[in-house]
Amino acid sequence: MCTCQTHTAAAEPIDAALTFKVEDMTCGHCAGTVKSALERGLPGAIVTADPAARLVSISGASDRATAARLITEAGYTPA
């Protein structure tokens, strides 16, 4: 590792994920529906939907209200 002080590393942005509990997302098909709706409505966001835990995580997006609306419009209930 270089120990001279002439090199600086760019700070990595902190990307806080939005997380929703979606109790009525009970299977892989449900998870796919929610994931697709969020990816379409939040271009560039990375969505993980876990039907076993009933959790949806979204990184690359910060608008919680829009994400919740998209989940609702897909037919599910975000908490």
Side-chain angles (χ1 to χ4, degrees), residues 14-18 38 41-47 57-63:
I14 297 171
D15 187 17
L18 299 174
L38 288 166
L42 301 170
I46 299 169
V47 180
S57 294
I58 309 157
S59 60
S62 60
D63 188 346

Side-chain angles (χ1 to χ4, degrees), residues 4 9 25-26 49 70 75:
C4 76
M25 182 182 72
T26 58
L70 292 166

Side-chain angles (χ1 to χ4, degrees):
M1 171 179 253
C2 180
T3 58
C4 76
Q5 299 300 316
T6 60
H7 301 290
T8 59
E12 292 294 321
I14 297 171
D15 187 17
L18 299 174
T19 303
F20 292 91
K21 185 79 167 177
V22 184
E23 289 291 344
D24 48 357
M25 182 182 72
T26 58
C27 68
H29 178 264
C30 297
T33 300
V34 170
K35 183 175 176 5
S36 293
L38 288 166
E39 288 174 341
R40 276 192 314 274
L42 301 170
I46 299 169
V47 180
T48 304
D50 180 353
R54 296 188 173 132
L55 289 176
V56 176
S57 294
I58 309 157
S59 60
S62 60
D63 188 346
R64 188 167 184 81
T66 296
R69 179 181 53 78
L70 292 166
I71 294 169
T72 300
E73 288 175 357
Y76 298 89
T77 309

